Amino acid sequence: MAAGQEVQIFEQCHAQGLPVMLKGPTGCGKTRFVEHMAWRLQRPLVTIACHDDLSASDLTGRYLIRGGETVWMDGPLAVAARMGALCYLDEVVEARQDTVVVIHPLTDDRRLLPVDKTGELIHAADGFQLVISYNPGYQHALKDLKPSTRQRFVALEFDFPPEELETRIVAHEGGIDPRAAAPLVRLAGRVRRLRDQGLAESPSTRLLISTARLMAGGIPAEQACRAALVNPLTDDPDLLAAIGDLIAATL
């Protein structure tokens, strides 16, 4: 369910060979959007979950010993470039900066992936597109994208859907009636306002869907909210009490 012009902009970026950056909070639908666009564009999708230990070799490839022989194994970025796939680097800011630099030649007119260990220059096949995501609200000064990386991408802003649309999503994905989904969405809206009181992360649409699925399985709404919506967010007793009051007032 599109909330704006993100589909049309992404399609134009794909047609023009432009890389895309998806910005938004955790669980707001960035990964689902990429999956939908891969289906819509009829392109294979290669997803890479970024982390602190992700190295350039993890992306491009490495030599492996098999049966007494040394063989080269392409990494996922190299595989995506060769096959003309959408390559999605999820939460790219979690990767080391020296690793992120590897993607730079793929984000301009060169569309090249240098493989230092073999000396090969992989020319990205037609249809290849680089997509990255990150949560700007969760980052700090020591973990952010450098301007030299950010300015290589067309950026699409994502946020939680409007209340009516989020209700429809939760009802559909969670398998419950929209009349049961509506209070969950209202509750999430009220909890999200607790960010000003020290809540590190807002309750995501993903958490709402998990809560709805518990309810669809027969778990009472209040218990489902505490298990799938509240407890994953915080261990702070004051915040837990505040959210508990919101649950009682909303449900």
Side-chain angles (χ1 to χ4, degrees), residues 156-194:
L156 292 176
E157 289 273 5
F158 280 68
D159 205 344
F160 302 118
E163 184 173 318
E164 181 180 352
L165 178 56
E166 190 167 29
T167 298
R168 292 167 56 196
I169 292 171
V170 172
H172 176 75
E173 296 285 337
I176 61 175
D177 189 275
R179 289 172 295 183
L184 295 181
V185 174
R186 287 197 299 271
L187 173 63
R190 293 172 177 176
V191 175
R192 286 163 186 165
R193 289 194 283 272
L194 293 179

Side-chain angles (χ1 to χ4, degrees), residues 52-59 95-103:
D52 290 338
D53 294 327
L54 186 72
S55 67
S57 295
D58 291 326
L59 295 179
R96 302 195 308 258
Q97 286 293 343
D98 60 330
T99 300
V100 175
V101 169
V102 172
I103 70 176

Side-chain angles (χ1 to χ4, degrees), residues 194 197 234-245:
L194 293 179
Q197 300 181 33
T234 183
D235 295 316
D236 183 274
D238 293 333
L239 286 173
L240 288 173
I243 298 174
D245 291 341

Side-chain angles (χ1 to χ4, degrees), residues 37 42 72 76 115 160 164 194 232:
M37 293 309 303
Q42 298 185 338
W72 175 259
V115 182
F160 302 118
E164 181 180 352
L194 293 179

Side-chain angles (χ1 to χ4, degrees), residues 6 10 20-24 29-31 33-34 88 131-136 153-158:
E6 62 269 20
F10 193 101
V20 175
M21 173 171 57
L22 309 180
K23 300 167 55 179
K30 300 188 295 294
T31 299
F33 175 73
V34 176
Y88 177 47
V131 185
I132 65 174
S133 73
Y134 86 114
N135 177 359
F153 292 84
V154 174
L156 292 176
E157 289 273 5
F158 280 68

Side-chain angles (χ1 to χ4, degrees), residues 90-131:
D90 190 13
E91 297 295 347
V92 68
V93 77
E94 296 294 340
R96 302 195 308 258
Q97 286 293 343
D98 60 330
T99 300
V100 175
V101 169
V102 172
I103 70 176
H104 283 190
L106 284 169
T107 60
D108 54 34
D109 292 340
R110 292 173 291 175
R111 290 174 62 83
L112 292 173
L113 177 62
V115 182
D116 292 340
K117 291 185 178 180
T118 64
E120 183 183 6
L121 286 176
I122 300 176
H123 293 260
D126 291 342
F128 172 80
Q129 186 177 20
L130 191 64
V131 185

